[in-house]
Amino acid sequence: MRRASVSEAKNTLSSLLSDVRRGEAVLITHRGKPVARIEPCGTDDLGADQAAAELVRRGVAPPPRAPLDVERFLNTPAARLTEGATASELIVAERREGR
């Protein structure tokens, strides 16, 4: 873990944050004693909207095509497996229907 004094952190904050973006934690000290730690944020630290936006930004997930219609979503009947059908077959069938 990288260490930086308060005065060094004030003077080189941009550089320290670049290191944090690359995954390195930085321990901030005052007169040689630890007072704070700067470390990368995980997706647990982000709100759901921010986490989703980050996935879109990184190209992991596509952006939504339309806003979620919560009422319609909640009123959609749950899928039921029929005898002899697999979950993957059900998903493929729903995708063909546009659901």
Side-chain angles (χ1 to χ4, degrees), residues 2-21 26 28 38:
R2 181 173 172 185
R3 295 173 78 99
S5 67
V6 171
S7 60
E8 180 186 353
K10 285 172 35 179
N11 294 329
T12 63
L13 182 59
S14 293
S15 173
L16 291 176
L17 291 177
S18 292
D19 293 343
V20 171
R21 279 189 210 99
V26 179
I28 307 298
I38 304 173

Side-chain angles (χ1 to χ4, degrees), residues 1-59:
M1 177 182 304
R2 181 173 172 185
R3 295 173 78 99
S5 67
V6 171
S7 60
E8 180 186 353
K10 285 172 35 179
N11 294 329
T12 63
L13 182 59
S14 293
S15 173
L16 291 176
L17 291 177
S18 292
D19 293 343
V20 171
R21 279 189 210 99
R22 287 193 301 274
E24 185 176 350
V26 179
L27 183 66
I28 307 298
T29 61
H30 180 69
R31 297 186 177 165
K33 295 185 180 179
V35 294
R37 181 175 53 234
I38 304 173
E39 57 188 20
C41 291
T43 54
D44 293 344
D45 299 324
L46 302 174
D49 289 342
Q50 288 178 318
E54 176 65 14
L55 291 174
V56 170
R57 187 189 68 73
R58 291 186 2 222

